[in-house]
Amino acid sequence: MKPSHTWAIVTALLGFALWRNGRSSRNILLPTPDFPHGYYAEGSHNGHCSVVKDASNDMKFCEDAVFWERVDGSGAAVNKVLLLSCDPNRKAWNTVMGPLHDPNPRGALWFYDMGAEPRRIALEGYPEGHDFHPLGLDVYPSQPSQPYSNLFVVNHARNGSTIEQFTLSWDAPDRARWVRTLSGPELVAPNSLALTSPTSFYLTHDHRFTRRLPGVLGKTLPLAESILALPLGWATHVNAEDPDAEAAHTTVAPYVAFANGVAISPDGTQVAVASTTLCEILFYARDPHTQALSLSARVPTPFAPDNLVFDARGALIVAGHPHFQSVVAVAENRTGVSAPSWVVSITPESGAEHGKGEGAAWEAGVPVPASRKVPRVPGYELRTLYQSDGSAFSSSSTGLRDAETGVLYIVGLYEEGLMVCTP
Ligand SMILES: *[C@@H]1O[C@H](CO)[C@@H](O)[C@H](O)[C@H]1NC(C)=O
Ligand SMILES: *[C@@H]1O[C@H](CO)[C@@H](O)[C@H](O)[C@H]1NC(C)=O
């Protein structure tokens, strides 16, 4: 397709999207020029936030990060570290946003023990010639009775996306032993996962039509699906308990527009799924026995939400992209552009707090208050934790908060290192 044709199609789709999706499209299609260099809710940005890198600056373009906890016999966390999934080759191989130029250079997993230098995790036993482009990942807590934790990683391999299973031991956390590859026609566009046991998980699928489709279809259908926010993504529950059998996939949340991050609340009763293109978080009540989900609330976000993580107190930390075209421009190597970052917490409100901060005043003091973009949803308090025009930290894709220390960690899809903000 000629670039001028592509541009005409994109412009037409954008116009249609603004008309069809109203507020949610305006939030991410119209630029917000007054984003700050960096804003941190708990203190001055430069005094409290800094970017952690490894010595050779290989830990970059990280899409996801999770806490890996070590628990004692009662299940209480006694220690925790961070695991990150990064792919410095993302600009040459990105099955979600493009391009599909070169799948050869492998991405990597990283281990970060707070305060120490990040360490690359060696993938032991990983098949020669098998691609590694990690996206969503999750790891089971390290138990006193179990020598290993199971780690599952979405892998955007050249011939189709897979899920790689590894084991990781607390004594040698910089070595992951490869166990097996889950593959099959069910894995259309896997994005993010959240473990429900050592061998089962919720899994989101961001698109029905992917860039892997041949020719002009792969160039137009996924773009139309994204820009029009068509509800063609979904979430499944995957059971991979039997090591010798194919995993069993059950759809638990159909028809989600660009289903992206997924997270389970600490008490196991709720699941949150990010709908990236509709700019909202879907909260589901969860039946822990059947893994069934039923939609209980939709909370709009002032940006396109990417990954989600509940902190230990039950606040959902949401990172995302406030300006769609900037992320696309960065993915396309355009010079002089930077994708802004925004991280919020969404906390269910107790009855007493209900109604607090109604009206125009909420988020006063935040450079770009969420109140300018989204209405308040009764029962949920949304609060900005971090904001940047991209010059301090760009393209935020995951935010995690340690509920004990209050420390906020952020990774960025096209950014180097790990942002750490300490209150
Ligand atoms: C962007 O640049 C990288 C090299 O830095 C290259 O591999 C990739 O193909 C480029 N992407 C596009 C869309 O041109
Ligand atoms: C991808 O598929 C092609 C054709 O089916 C095959 O030749 C090739 O070995 C596969 N590559 C990988 C990395 O699996």
Side-chain angles (χ1 to χ4, degrees):
M1 213 165 19
K2 278 191 197 155
S4 59
H5 289 174
T6 314
W7 189 243
I9 291 172
V10 168
T11 309
L13 286 173
L14 289 177
F16 187 69
L18 278 170
W19 168 76
R20 178 181 184 274
N21 302 325
R23 191 198 63 240
S24 60
S25 283
R26 276 199 304 278
N27 282 350
I28 54 166
L29 294 179
L30 304 181
T32 307
D34 46 351
F35 263 96
H37 164 68
Y39 165 83
Y40 174 48
E42 312 300 338
S44 81
H45 183 274
N46 292 350
H48 292 253
C49 297
S50 59
V51 177
V52 170
K53 297 183 179 180
D54 63 299
S56 48
N57 196 21
D58 288 334
M59 187 178 79
K60 54 188 174 189
F61 294 9
C62 305
E63 200 267 350
D64 202 5
V66 285
F67 285 125
W68 182 29
E69 290 182 338
R70 189 158 67 97
V71 299
D72 63 16
S74 71
V78 292
N79 207 338
K80 64 167 107 52
V81 296
L82 273 176
L83 301 182
L84 297 86
S85 90
C86 311
D87 193 351
N89 185 48
R90 194 181 308 288
K91 283 197 170 178
W93 186 258
N94 182 338
T95 69
V96 185
M97 298 182 59
L100 300 181
H101 289 169
D102 180 8
N104 285 312
R106 278 184 181 173
L109 303 178
W110 291 81
F111 164 85
Y112 178 61
D113 190 358
M114 291 59 166
E117 199 193 309
R119 283 189 278 168
R120 183 197 290 266
I121 299 178
L123 308 181
E124 294 189 332
Y126 198 74
E128 193 85 20
H130 192 46
D131 297 326
F132 191 62
H133 296 291
L135 214 68
L137 83 169
D138 200 9
V139 62
Y140 208 69
S142 174
Q143 319 274 333
S145 55
Q146 291 282 334
Y148 299 109
S149 284
N150 275 358
L151 165 67
F152 288 87
V153 185
V154 172
N155 176 19
H156 283 189
R158 78 187 69 190
N159 285 349
S161 291
T162 61
I163 292 171
E164 307 297 334
Q165 182 179 345
F166 299 91
T167 52
L168 202 57
S169 146
W170 197 268
D171 302 323
D174 52 1
R175 300 204 299 266
R177 173 138 283 277
W178 180 77
V179 176
R180 63 167 166 163
T181 297
L182 307 181
S183 58
E186 296 87 358
L187 298 180
V188 177
N191 190 304
S192 176
L193 53 83
L195 292 180
T196 49
S197 81
T199 51
S200 62
F201 46 87
Y202 289 111
L203 176 68
T204 55
H205 302 257
D206 52 70
H207 282 74
R208 170 67 62 185
F209 299 112
T210 74
R211 286 178 186 263
R212 297 178 188 278
L213 289 170
V216 76
L217 294 181
K219 292 192 173 64
T220 51
L221 290 181
L223 200 62
E225 184 178 339
S226 293
I227 293 177
L228 299 179
L230 302 178
L232 298 177
W234 69 103
T236 49
H237 185 261
V238 180
N239 188 334
E241 193 179 344
D242 183 347
D244 300 316
E246 297 278 319
H249 302 254
T250 311
T251 300
V252 289
Y255 311 120
V256 179
F258 201 141
N260 198 330
V262 58
I264 306 172
S265 64
D267 66 4
T269 62
Q270 277 193 88
V271 166
V273 173
S275 171
T276 296
T277 47
L278 275 187
C279 298
E280 61 182 11
I281 307 301
L282 306 174
F283 285 92
Y284 297 85
R286 167 177 180 243
D287 181 334
H289 303 293
T290 64
Q291 309 299 348
L293 302 180
S294 60
L295 187 64
S296 56
R298 313 170 81 113
V299 177
T301 50
F303 51 80
D306 199 324
N307 284 322
L308 311 174
V309 189
F310 279 98
D311 76 6
R313 296 215 178 91
L316 184 71
I317 312 301
V318 186
H321 311 288
H323 190 228
F324 174 79
Q325 295 96 314
S326 306
V327 192
V328 173
V330 170
E332 287 176 347
N333 289 338
R334 261 186 269 152
T335 50
V337 284
S338 172
S341 293
W342 199 336
V343 181
V344 300
S345 62
I346 299 179
T347 315
E349 284 175 331
S350 60
E353 290 167 308
H354 228 114
K356 187 188 71 176
E358 287 286 351
W362 64 288
E363 286 247 291
V366 178
V368 180
S371 56
R372 211 203 280 175
K373 307 223 171 210
V374 286
R376 273 184 67 108
V377 173
Y380 292 88
E381 189 197 1
L382 187 146
R383 178 166 179 255
T384 292
L385 304 180
Y386 189 87
Q387 243 170 25
S388 172
D389 60 9
S391 56
F393 202 74
S394 75
S395 56
S396 56
S397 47
T398 303
L400 303 110
R401 186 168 62 185
D402 184 334
E404 267 168 80
T405 60
V407 176
L408 179 69
Y409 301 89
I410 309 169
V411 294
L413 206 51
Y414 291 101
E415 181 57 280
E416 300 178 349
L418 168 73
M419 175 57 93
V420 181
C421 295
T422 309

